[in-house]
Amino acid sequence: MADLERLEQGHGLDRPAPVLEPGQTFASVEEKISDLVLKRPLHPGWLFGFGLAFAVTMLLLYALTWLLIKGVGIWGVNIPVAWGFAIANFVWWIGIGHAGTLISAILLLLNQKWRTSINRFAEAMTLFAVACAGLFPLFHMGRPWAFYWLLPYPNTMSLWPQFRSPLVWDCFAVGTYFTVSLLFWYQGLLPDLAAMRDRARHPWAHVVYGFLALGWRGSAIHWKFYETGYWLLAALATPLVVSVHSIVSMDFAVAQVPGWHSTIFPPYFVAGAILSGFAMVLTLSIPLRKFYGLEAFVTQRHLENMAKVLLVTSLIVAYGYAEETLMAWYSGDPYDWYIIVNRAFGGYGFAYWLLLACNVLVPQTLWFRKARTNIAWLFVLSLIVQLGMWTERVVIVVQSLHRDFMPSAWQTYYPTFWDWATLFGTIGLFAALFFLFIRVLPMISIHEVQELAHEAEGARAENPDVGKIAGAEA
Amino acid sequence: MSPLNPDNPRMNDDELADLRARLDTLQGPDFWRSLEEFAGTEAFHRYLQRAYPRQASAWNPAMDRRAFLSLMGASLALAGLSGCTLHQPREQIVPYIDQPDGLTPGRPQFFATAIPHNGYAQGALVTSREGRPIKVEGNPLHPATLGRSDAWMQASVLSLYDPDRSQAVVHLGQPGTWDDFFQALTAQMTALQATRGAGLRLLTGTVTSPTLAAQIGAILAQYPQARWHVWEPVGRDSVHAAARQAFGTEASTLYRFDQADVILSLDGDFLLSLPGHVRYASDFAARRRVRQGQTAMNRLYMLESVPTITGAMADFRLPVRTSRIPEATATLARALGVTVPGGYTEVLPEAWIRHAVADLQAHPGASIVVAGDHQPQEVHVLAHAMNAQLGNVGKTVVYTDPVEANVTMQAGSLVELVRDLQAGQVQTLLMWDTNPVYTAPTDLDFAGALSRVAFSAHLSQYEDETSALCQWHLPETHILEAWSDARAYDGTISLIQPLLAPLYATRTAHELLEAVRLKPSRSAHDIVRDAWQSRRNGEDFGLFWRKTLHDGLIAGSAAPPKNVTLLPNAVTALPPAPAASGLELQFAPDPTIWDGRFANNGWLQELPKPLTKLTWDNALLVSPKTAAQWNLNRQMDTDGRHPNRVDSIAIRAGSRRLTAPVWIVPGHPDDAVTLTLGYGRARCGRIGTETGVNAYVVRASDALWFVPDVEITRTGETYPLACTHTHHTMEGRDLIRVSDIAEFRRKPDVIHEHERAPERPESLIPDWRYPNEAWGMSIDTNVCIGCNACVVACQAENNIPIVGKDEVERGREMHWLRIDRYYTGSLNQPQGTYFLPVPCMHCETAPCELVCPVGATVHDRDGLNEMIYNRCVGTRYCSNNCPYKVRRFNFFHYAGGQPDPDKLNANYDNPIIKLVANPEVTIRSRGVMEKCTYCIQRIQNARIDAEVENRPLRDGEIRTACQQACPTNAIVFGNINDPNSEVARAKAQPHNYGLLTELNTRPRTTYLARFTHRSQEEAG
């Protein structure tokens, strides 16, 4: 992140846009954000969006039900391509989740104040993305009802998971990740839930928010424990940002399949995860700030910073692609080299060039400030990057498998309707959850923005207060 | 390596030249599997499409009321069958092994019998479990099999339990009874007695059964005006005609390949198609097995019109169109010193002739010239002359009296029958073991002629095309339920004993014929037994009977060698050959479903054909060069459902035409196309109907094996084919290793030269020790003929389901053992075709085990890589990490007939089919992985026996199903800890190698390299 700072400073910008538009007070912040939930009437746009997302979620249910009835053969998987869209989607969704944790935990520890107004919905995004991701390894199993055999639970037969398998590590990694993300998100919500409780007029809302607020009263001792807990969780979540996708990448790196068996995979996967994750945050935040009038909280500065992160991670990912190719050639391994050549020129070649264009070429526009400040372009670009990252996952999973060691066994994988239905179904589920989230919870952290406003006020009053956060850090 | 250009999908001459140039630059172990040698050559494949055969079935088994009723009745009847009411036949049958007190529940019994193929008995030893036969092996005592088998024998148990088998008498489309039929028959026969049988005709397939022949003889004696006609679509007319022309007498030719150093095959597929092919394969391989210090090999020269597995074994092979084989034969004969009158074109390369002739002449009395059954009689006569010239007669080539009961010119016989039918001279027609409406030459219009018969009855296992047009359809007993006898290729007589009482109200031909003699109540057992009792006067018949049933054959019943001499004027001028320019349509029996009789056998339908690796369909086979001239296309559906969608072309032969998809086969002669018989059945059950193209519709009685000057037109349509090897090249990987034997003699480690990494890298971790047995397998690619017997044997032994054409297209076939096929050399004339059977390697450091999250695949104490089905959750990670891709996944509940229960007759939930299942092997459910287990059930059985007897396991005591079936003994299994075991000795050979050992998998299955015998240098 120091790079990020340097990048930011070395770019010689006149003056970075503020992380909070001036003129916000404690009261205005709380009112603005909580009213989105409590006072804003049910908007037809929301209804339409949620309805659409819900319909697509039903498609997911339909696809999964059919899967359970018929078997995993309704997908396009075969031998040798025994993993298809499901695992690619899993990796993609997990990757998307990473940006949320990165924003909330790492940027918190690094004292990046611009994270404050985007961390809440980024964390929600993480949770929902991990939930979507989790569906895939579960349902791609031949016998999903036996999923718990991957967990070390006591049983009369003294059977344990096979701990050398990266899939077991996956179970732990994803499980831990989901748990920590949930706790972190929920704890961050507590003061805001209390604020909602206090502002809610409807008795039921009052009760529900009150229940969820766990008796938060905002006393000094609450804040003391809160801060300690929050920073501890942030510290706990930080390694997860790196470790979860590293372990996911080991599903591939540990196997000896050409195109998978590579030591570059963990960092390369993490960078890709952050790339797609930040793209998703952009995808979500741009419409949100527009439709909910949150330009004051999610400013040009946020968008520009995220664009810079995209650029950096895109470069890391590009390095990964180059490294992979170089090592395949340099190792002299004919199988690896075959895969790399086939990746570019084989049957799935179009996907490889598509991912290069989406993940490497198009993000290079972000070198230009004009592009970084063009909100419409950022939105389009965020979608392009997500398409690119999804394609990359598919290429890694499918293309590598379809041309491995024994040419006599080679087959090509084609997705079926059910593959697509499951993919889009999870997008629908994700969107539906997100629509619900923005409808019932404060999508921006009220108390943290208040803190920002306080600091901004202090700064304006020429009171060089370093701020509570710095104090807590000490 | 340009990708397919959609605007210009056709490969022009320049590109073709470029492709050839690229092929020429290949060196060393650059093998290719077919035409997609390079990515760019995908543009080369152009194929055609074809709609389903036009003869849309009027009979839809799912909808038809009668079929529904009969199925309904059968399922009620069989509801009990699946319980414990299955019983052994009432008559005494004799177990092969010593069983003191009859059947021990849980222990298999073995019964010797014989399974005729095309009429010729193949000795079998059938495993019976509590009264149900579940597995067929060869009978070790039987000369035609020597304990070995072929895919058809292996698959015969599935036909026994085929629910589509005919189960009741049908009279004019209505359900009838045997009593009705006997009544009608009696009336008919009584009437015929007055006319001394005028108007009575019998039509059968090839009959070798002495008892059946005697019965027919008795009928013909009783009804002197009656006639017996024989029709076998894959017949041997020219063999018999040639014997008469050459020797002036009937004679059969037997070959002793185990005594031949040089073999010249004139389109003779003796490894798969000739009677006695299992024995021939065994004998042939015996002279090719290479061990250190034993490097003598026979040498096979082959002229071939249709690529076959025999051609794949040839050291020198030339593709020659069927119509040119006589000229080629004459050229060779003349070079060998046989006087061939008349003129003809010499079609063979001069060097090839010189080489072959010199080689044959250098091995007088130790060479064989063998001609294909379908070749015209001139070729056979020339072959006889050449064998005589080379002094082979009496040594490697033996003549005997014919084995067939009625040596007749079948085509002529059938023509005669049809002529009489049309003339209204036939009142009564009885048919069995034949399906002429489907197989008869199309110009005869057998169906039309048949409609003029007053009384027609057809005894068959299926209610087929012929049954539908007869007044009476009679359900026939399956050979495993029947009493009978039959003769093998060498004349050896086997008794056929039933393994179980008939499942349905079926009768054998014996019983039908007794009914013709107005004795309908006699059972086949009595008929066969009495026939033998009358032949065996004056000896202890009880002893003879028991011993014959036990052994499966009558010792010493082989036909004695017959002294024949070549007539001086035997060799005549060749018939005029058709014009050289025209395109020729060739026919051949199908390597999996033969002439169509196995069309409803799912195991055989899904069995990849040895060379094309196609399943569920036949196709027009063409050479790459011819295909290039036609600009044939091959493409994929955009939805991927049909990855091998090929062009269909219409073929017109005179007024007859058909439309068929085209498949390119390297090594196919140019300017010819081949269509195998047996497909396009209109009525044969749910499996076989609507598969492939019916070749019989263009097959005329004067052109049974090829049609000259056919015309083709592109239809613009495409047709999806299901090929199990969609990628055809080996990408330069040394998966199969080939060297010339001379080079091997000089450098025994020649096949290890290209290895990239040591087989066993240094490691700090000590090797795991296996103190007891360590099981291993060795597969000798030098004698593997790719015949597929092992694949079906594995399927039968291990309850492997079939998945259907759609799933094969998806890449989900379930065979635990696949046979890879590779080519070397140029596209049009591959120098070599090689087979590599790939079962599980049972790696010592198995990559699959590392990645399974639940420990469902683990090593056992003997080093077997085991699969625990009920622990498997189906992540499929193991398959991804298996470099050999030998793991198979139940994407659907295949064993329960999913995803298409109507089309899959290997559905183990079906109460009849489930009887075929081996009770020692778990039926796998949906969502679990499976793979080769080295037949662990057989290992455990042997181990239990050894422990009970308190002795160590003996080498050779355990034989895997594939090993047992293999006709050439290419597969050896055993304990590699024991240095004296056969498998350990094989693995100690210098030409032993493992697949992909550079991955440090340390496979337990290893291979012995393939050798060619092209250099003239002889073994020291």
Side-chain angles (χ1 to χ4, degrees):
Chain A
M1 286 308 123
D3 285 345
L4 195 69
E5 292 288 359
R6 262 202 303 283
L7 193 72
E8 200 177 308
Q9 286 152 11
H11 210 252
L13 304 177
D14 327 327
R15 183 186 66 87
V19 295
L20 184 66
E21 289 294 333
Q24 300 292 349
T25 64
F26 265 45
S28 72
V29 167
E30 183 167 323
E31 189 180 315
K32 172 87 177 134
I33 299 174
S34 65
D35 284 357
L36 289 180
V37 176
L38 297 173
K39 296 229 175 107
R40 192 179 159 100
L42 204 55
H43 190 274
W46 184 92
L47 262 185
F48 174 75
F50 177 72
L52 186 69
F54 187 76
V56 181
T57 310
M58 289 302 106
L59 176 67
L60 175 70
L61 262 180
Y62 178 50
L64 294 183
T65 308
W66 191 241
L67 178 83
L68 288 177
I69 292 171
K70 297 295 285 184
V72 77
I74 64 167
W75 290 348
V77 280
N78 57 25
I79 303 289
V81 190
W83 287 356
F85 270 17
I87 298 300
N89 297 345
F90 161 69
V91 177
W92 182 63
W93 275 120
I94 288 275
I96 283 172
H98 274 56
T101 320
L102 185 126
I103 289 166
S104 51
I106 295 191
L107 297 190
L108 174 72
L109 293 183
L110 292 175
N111 205 6
Q112 295 291 316
K113 296 208 173 56
W114 59 275
R115 70 171 271 286
T116 306
S117 40
I118 56 173
N119 75 336
R120 169 70 41 76
F121 69 78
E123 282 171 40
M125 175 194 83
T126 297
L127 277 181
F128 303 152
V130 175
C132 288
L135 289 178
F136 286 105
L138 178 63
F139 283 98
H140 103 289
M141 290 198 297
R143 303 199 293 167
W145 44 90
F147 74 93
Y148 60 94
W149 293 357
L150 271 74
L151 304 172
Y153 68 98
N155 60 74
T156 51
M157 289 183 289
S158 308
L159 278 172
W160 285 79
Q162 204 273 101
F163 285 106
R164 294 179 301 166
S165 169
L167 292 187
V168 176
W169 313 343
D170 251 13
C171 250
F172 290 115
V174 176
T176 311
Y177 186 45
F178 186 78
T179 314
V180 170
S181 299
L182 182 67
L183 288 176
F184 196 56
W185 180 68
Y186 186 61
Q187 198 195 329
L189 262 174
L190 281 179
D192 288 8
L193 287 168
M196 302 290 282
R197 170 196 67 199
D198 298 343
R199 292 179 66 87
R201 295 288 157 82
H202 195 281
W204 271 111
H206 196 70
V207 169
V208 171
Y209 287 122
F211 179 78
L212 290 173
L214 301 180
W216 178 271
R217 279 170 284 112
S219 75
I221 195 87
H222 280 181
W223 278 110
K224 179 179 182 295
F225 283 128
Y226 174 88
E227 290 286 339
T228 314
Y230 200 62
W231 280 76
L232 274 176
L233 275 175
L236 204 58
T238 300
L240 290 180
V241 175
V242 182
S243 71
V244 174
H245 228 57
S246 297
I247 286 175
V248 168
S249 79
M250 284 176 198
D251 289 350
F252 306 99
V254 165
Q256 59 176 348
V257 178
W260 285 10
H261 189 61
S262 163
T263 47
I264 189 91
F265 263 37
Y268 160 51
F269 265 53
V270 171
I274 292 166
L275 176 62
S276 59
F278 268 89
M280 185 57 105
V281 178
L282 274 176
T283 311
L284 296 174
S285 57
I286 289 171
L288 272 187
R289 74 195 280 275
K290 175 152 177 55
F291 292 128
Y292 286 89
L294 295 172
E295 283 90 348
F297 302 104
V298 182
T299 66
Q300 196 73 41
R301 167 92 176 274
H302 292 103
L303 302 182
E304 209 177 328
N305 276 355
M306 288 193 274
K308 288 171 187 167
V309 175
L310 281 190
L311 181 59
V312 171
T313 47
S314 150
L315 289 173
I316 300 174
V317 167
Y319 174 76
Y321 299 147
E323 171 78 8
E324 211 177 22
T325 311
L326 175 76
M327 285 314 293
W329 169 77
Y330 183 67
S331 68
D333 184 313
Y335 309 113
D336 274 353
W337 182 238
Y338 183 88
I339 274 290
I340 291 298
V341 172
N342 181 274
R343 197 163 274 185
F345 303 108
Y348 294 112
F350 69 94
Y352 185 66
W353 298 111
L354 178 69
L355 80 88
L356 282 186
C358 294
N359 296 345
V360 179
L361 197 64
V362 178
Q364 300 310 314
T365 55
L366 297 176
W367 286 104
F368 304 100
R369 181 148 194 251
K370 225 173 181 164
R372 292 200 303 271
T373 52
N374 181 335
I375 293 171
W377 171 241
L378 282 182
F379 185 71
V380 171
L381 179 109
S382 73
L383 293 177
I384 290 176
V385 166
Q386 283 175 66
L387 171 67
M389 281 313 297
W390 179 80
T391 312
E392 186 212 284
R393 308 314 192 192
V394 172
V395 165
I396 289 173
V397 172
V398 172
Q399 187 270 340
S400 306
L401 282 174
H402 98 302
R403 291 289 180 266
D404 69 340
F405 296 100
M406 293 281 280
S408 58
W410 290 354
Q411 292 279 358
T412 308
Y413 165 88
Y414 297 91
T416 63
F417 166 77
W418 301 106
D419 281 300
W420 293 110
T422 320
L423 169 64
F424 288 113
T426 51
I427 293 174
L429 173 67
F430 176 84
L433 288 170
F434 207 82
F435 273 108
L436 284 178
F437 159 72
I438 57 180
R439 188 64 213 150
V440 300
L441 289 171
M443 70 183 87
I444 291 175
S445 174
I446 299 173
H447 69 276
E448 285 178 284
V449 175
Q450 282 174 331
E451 207 171 280
L452 268 189
H454 171 73
E455 283 168 31
E457 243 172 86
R460 266 198 302 284
E462 292 186 330
N463 180 2
D465 185 8
V466 283
K468 272 204 303 191
I469 292 172
E473 205 172 4
Chain B
M1 216 153 290
S2 60
L4 196 83
N5 178 356
D7 298 322
N8 179 20
R10 287 162 194 181
M11 180 168 273
N12 59 34
D13 290 344
D14 290 349
E15 286 171 302
L16 199 60
D18 176 50
L19 180 71
R20 291 234 164 75
R22 268 189 277 147
L23 268 175
D24 289 342
T25 61
L26 289 182
Q27 288 169 359
D30 289 335
F31 295 89
W32 49 280
R33 299 170 49 80
S34 173
L35 309 167
E36 294 177 342
E37 171 68 48
F38 310 100
T41 64
E42 264 154 6
F44 197 151
H45 279 274
R46 317 247 140 187
Y47 274 71
L48 309 218
Q49 113 172 26
R50 167 201 80 100
Y52 271 129
R54 300 245 157 159
Q55 70 283 16
S57 165
W59 176 64
N60 182 344
M63 311 282 283
D64 182 81
R65 181 188 59 82
R66 178 164 48 77
F68 171 74
L69 282 176
S70 60
L71 275 177
M72 193 70 184
S75 56
L76 286 176
L78 283 156
L81 238 181
S82 53
C84 54
T85 57
L86 194 74
H87 45 276
Q88 297 205 333
R90 286 184 302 279
E91 303 86 3
Q92 187 192 14
I93 58 174
V94 181
Y96 182 79
I97 55 162
D98 205 11
Q99 273 296 309
D101 291 308
L103 183 142
T104 310
R107 299 285 295 184
Q109 288 176 296
F110 303 93
F111 296 94
T113 182
I115 297 178
H117 178 69
N118 230 25
Y120 299 89
Q122 292 182 290
L125 190 58
V126 183
T127 310
S128 175
R129 286 262 174 195
E130 281 81 50
R132 61 194 168 91
I134 58 160
K135 186 79 170 62
V136 176
E137 307 288 358
N139 180 351
L141 300 177
H142 196 277
T145 56
L146 301 176
R148 312 290 171 181
S149 53
D150 61 21
W152 297 302
M153 283 172 72
Q154 291 292 340
S156 57
V157 277
L158 187 65
S159 292
L160 169 65
Y161 299 115
D162 186 349
D164 294 343
R165 266 179 65 195
S166 168
Q167 301 171 8
V169 173
V170 177
H171 181 222
L172 296 172
Q174 303 297 323
T177 66
W178 278 101
D179 285 342
D180 295 345
F181 172 70
F182 288 145
Q183 234 167 9
L185 184 69
T186 306
Q188 194 74 16
M189 297 318 295
T190 319
L192 277 168
Q193 272 167 353
T195 62
R196 292 161 51 80
L200 169 63
R201 300 299 170 98
L202 309 177
L203 178 63
T204 71
T206 298
V207 171
T208 62
S209 162
T211 304
L212 197 61
Q215 286 181 281
I216 296 172
I219 290 171
L220 295 180
Q222 192 180 347
Y223 303 94
Q225 301 286 325
R227 294 286 308 277
W228 173 23
H229 303 272
V230 180
W231 168 245
E232 195 72 62
V234 185
R236 309 190 74 206
D237 281 359
S238 51
V239 177
H240 301 307
R244 275 195 291 273
Q245 182 182 338
F247 310 119
T249 175
E250 308 287 359
S252 262
T253 317
L254 305 185
Y255 305 98
R256 296 202 172 135
F257 287 101
D258 53 341
Q259 291 167 27
D261 290 325
V262 179
I263 299 154
L264 171 64
S265 171
L266 307 165
D267 212 4
D269 179 20
F270 58 85
L271 295 179
L272 200 65
S273 299
L274 293 199
H277 57 268
V278 175
R279 170 63 180 266
Y280 288 162
S282 173
D283 288 351
F284 175 75
R287 294 301 299 266
R288 279 187 94 82
R289 193 162 283 112
V290 169
R291 293 291 183 273
Q292 201 166 21
Q294 179 206 326
T295 56
M297 277 172 73
N298 62 16
R299 186 183 282 126
L300 173 58
Y301 294 85
M302 180 123 184
L303 303 178
E304 212 174 28
S305 61
V306 181
T308 64
I309 63 170
T310 309
M313 297 305 288
D315 301 295
F316 296 94
R317 174 186 180 279
L318 272 187
V320 178
R321 290 194 280 162
T322 310
S323 64
R324 301 286 142 192
I325 298 266
E327 292 168 337
T329 307
T331 313
L332 282 160
R334 203 172 266 179
L336 273 170
V338 176
T339 315
V340 187
Y344 53 85
T345 323
E346 303 208 346
V347 293
L348 294 184
E350 204 248 332
W352 202 92
I353 299 173
R354 197 163 7 94
H355 201 236
V357 165
D359 211 2
L360 285 166
Q361 282 171 336
H363 295 89
S367 52
I368 288 177
V369 180
V370 51
D373 282 355
H374 59 284
Q375 281 298 323
Q377 81 188 68
E378 289 80 7
V379 172
H380 287 271
V381 171
L382 285 169
H384 292 312
M386 283 191 267
N387 279 324
Q389 185 82 12
L390 292 165
N392 296 333
V393 178
K395 293 174 180 150
T396 54
V397 177
V398 177
Y399 296 105
T400 66
D401 275 325
V403 171
E404 300 85 345
N406 179 5
V407 180
T408 170
M409 295 304 288
Q410 297 185 351
S413 170
L414 190 70
V415 171
E416 199 183 311
L417 172 65
V418 171
R419 199 188 52 219
D420 292 350
L421 283 170
Q422 279 162 344
Q425 292 174 9
V426 182
Q427 278 82 49
T428 311
L429 178 62
L430 301 178
M431 294 180 277
W432 69 92
D433 192 25
T434 187
N435 182 10
V437 171
Y438 171 66
T439 63
T442 181
D443 57 326
L444 298 184
D445 185 25
F446 192 90
L450 183 59
S451 62
R452 314 191 56 146
V453 183
F455 184 93
S456 55
H458 184 231
L459 178 75
S460 67
Q461 283 174 31
Y462 294 90
E463 218 190 309
D464 57 23
E465 295 88 343
T466 307
S467 307
L469 298 180
C470 286
Q471 271 95 22
W472 291 92
H473 159 70
L474 311 170
E476 188 183 13
T477 309
H478 188 270
I479 200 70
L480 292 173
E481 309 164 318
W483 283 100
S484 186
D485 50 11
R487 300 182 75 189
Y489 77 111
D490 67 344
T492 302
I493 300 171
S494 288
L495 286 184
I496 293 170
Q497 58 177 335
L499 271 291
L500 75 174
L503 290 169
Y504 316 113
T506 55
R507 305 280 167 124
T508 62
H510 297 291
E511 290 156 317
L512 174 66
L513 288 181
E514 284 303 279
V516 172
R517 297 169 70 191
L518 307 181
K519 286 183 249 176
S521 58
R522 286 185 78 205
S523 74
H525 170 261
D526 296 346
I527 297 163
V528 176
R529 194 184 149 100
D530 292 353
W532 281 100
Q533 192 147 26
S534 64
R535 276 183 213 126
R536 291 273 160 176
N537 263 340
E539 63 180 310
D540 182 351
F541 182 72
L543 187 67
F544 162 81
W545 184 251
R546 284 185 61 92
K547 180 168 165 47
T548 307
L549 288 182
H550 174 274
D551 293 350
L553 58 101
I554 298 172
S557 59
K562 183 175 183 179
N563 269 326
V564 293
T565 35
L566 198 66
L567 298 178
N569 296 323
V571 180
T572 53
L574 300 182
S581 57
L583 181 73
E584 189 169 311
L585 171 61
Q586 311 177 130
F587 303 107
D590 193 84
T592 59
I593 66 164
W594 195 245
D595 59 3
R597 70 185 62 183
F598 300 109
N600 209 49
N601 189 306
W603 290 349
L604 293 172
Q605 281 280 8
E606 196 153 301
L607 183 63
K609 302 187 194 305
L611 290 165
T612 60
K613 298 294 169 193
L614 291 177
T615 61
W616 291 99
D617 274 304
N618 59 350
L620 276 174
L621 311 180
V622 299
S623 75
K625 192 174 156 196
T626 307
Q629 287 164 359
W630 295 349
N631 289 325
L632 292 175
N633 198 0
R634 181 171 138 186
Q635 64 197 33
M636 295 176 181
D637 279 9
T638 45
D639 65 356
R641 282 307 290 176
H642 306 296
N644 288 298
R645 195 171 256 292
V646 298
D647 281 342
S648 268
I649 61 173
I651 279 225
R652 200 161 62 77
S655 60
R656 296 177 276 274
R657 54 176 292 154
L658 60 75
T659 304
V662 180
W663 192 256
I664 296 172
V665 179
H668 194 283
D670 295 333
D671 302 320
V673 292
T674 302
L675 192 60
T676 60
L677 305 173
Y679 280 93
R681 295 284 305 268
R683 297 176 62 123
C684 70
R686 286 167 290 184
I687 292 279
T689 313
E690 293 189 351
T691 57
V693 184
N694 184 357
Y696 292 108
V697 300
V698 289
R699 198 178 184 222
S701 52
D702 58 348
L704 284 178
W705 294 105
F706 72 95
V707 188
D709 290 324
V710 293
E711 287 166 28
I712 61 148
T713 39
R714 297 174 64 99
T715 60
E717 293 166 1
T718 59
Y719 181 82
L721 289 172
C723 176
T724 58
H725 290 193
T726 53
H727 193 87
H728 299 276
T729 140
M730 198 150 85
E731 302 292 351
R733 302 171 181 184
D734 54 353
L735 301 174
I736 183 151
R737 302 191 189 171
V738 182
S739 142
D740 198 77
I741 190 70
E743 207 178 347
F744 176 68
R745 284 179 199 130
R746 282 194 298 276
K747 268 188 302 183
D749 64 340
V750 62
I751 65 124
H752 295 285
E753 275 176 353
H754 296 289
E755 275 169 18
R756 273 187 296 271
E759 197 156 311
R760 196 179 282 211
E762 296 295 321
S763 171
L764 290 174
I765 304 164
D767 283 350
W768 188 267
R769 294 170 63 89
Y770 296 97
N772 304 310
E773 289 84 14
W775 304 118
M777 184 179 274
S778 171
I779 300 178
D780 192 344
T781 59
N782 199 38
V783 295
C784 172
I785 57 170
C787 69
N788 275 335
C790 52
V791 178
V792 187
C794 177
Q795 190 149 25
E797 172 77 14
N798 293 300
N799 303 336
I800 297 171
I802 60 167
V803 298
K805 180 178 173 184
D806 285 355
E807 292 293 290
V808 174
E809 284 186 80
R810 269 265 183 241
R812 294 169 177 173
E813 65 276 3
M814 295 298 283
H815 299 128
W816 286 3
L817 172 61
R818 67 170 193 267
I819 302 181
D820 291 354
R821 175 227 49 209
Y822 300 102
Y823 295 109
T824 54
S826 75
L827 214 53
N828 256 325
Q829 289 198 11
Q831 273 184 352
T833 310
Y834 307 114
F835 298 109
L836 184 76
V838 188
C840 175
M841 298 289 138
H842 291 270
C843 311
E844 301 224 3
T845 51
C848 50
E849 293 174 10
L850 176 72
V851 297
C852 176
V854 292
T857 183
V858 288
H859 249 53
D860 80 351
R861 63 169 188 174
D862 302 331
L864 293 184
N865 169 245
E866 290 182 336
M867 188 67 223
I868 298 133
Y869 304 126
N870 47 7
R871 179 67 175 165
C872 177
V873 297
T875 67
R876 309 187 288 289
Y877 200 174
C878 52
S879 169
N880 288 346
N881 211 27
C882 172
Y884 309 100
K885 289 290 173 285
V886 293
R887 291 177 157 264
R888 297 285 174 255
F889 188 69
N890 289 278
F891 290 94
F892 291 109
H893 185 31
Y894 293 129
Q898 295 286 345
D900 189 359
D902 283 343
K903 283 300 273 183
L904 298 185
N905 75 352
N907 167 0
Y908 292 109
D909 285 353
N910 181 298
I912 309 168
I913 297 172
K914 68 164 38 164
L915 298 177
V916 81
N918 182 352
E920 293 186 326
V921 178
T922 312
I923 306 264
R924 280 77 60 185
S925 77
R926 155 192 156 190
V928 302
M929 192 62 78
E930 57 184 75
K931 65 161 193 85
C932 160
T933 63
Y934 273 170
C935 287
I936 191 165
Q937 65 281 6
R938 294 185 174 210
I939 297 176
Q940 294 303 82
N941 277 344
R943 177 171 276 149
I944 291 166
D945 285 348
E947 280 175 14
V948 167
E949 292 164 29
N950 195 20
R951 60 168 172 82
L953 280 161
R954 288 188 287 261
D955 186 40
E957 187 173 5
I958 303 164
R959 294 201 296 164
T960 61
C962 50
Q963 174 187 16
Q964 192 167 8
C966 179
T968 62
N969 210 3
I971 301 175
V972 176
F973 175 83
N975 177 11
I976 57 175
N977 271 352
D978 171 9
N980 295 317
S981 68
E982 202 186 346
V983 68
R985 280 181 284 134
K987 282 172 183 281
Q989 293 294 319
H991 56 300
N992 174 69
Y993 73 96
L995 279 186
L996 300 169
T997 47
E998 65 264 37
L999 300 175
N1000 194 26
T1001 49
R1002 292 166 57 190
R1004 281 278 178 89
T1005 306
T1006 56
Y1007 294 87
L1008 295 177
R1010 169 88 182 252
F1011 297 106
T1012 56
H1013 190 193
R1014 296 206 177 104
S1015 97
Q1016 285 296 335
E1017 193 180 303
E1018 286 304 326

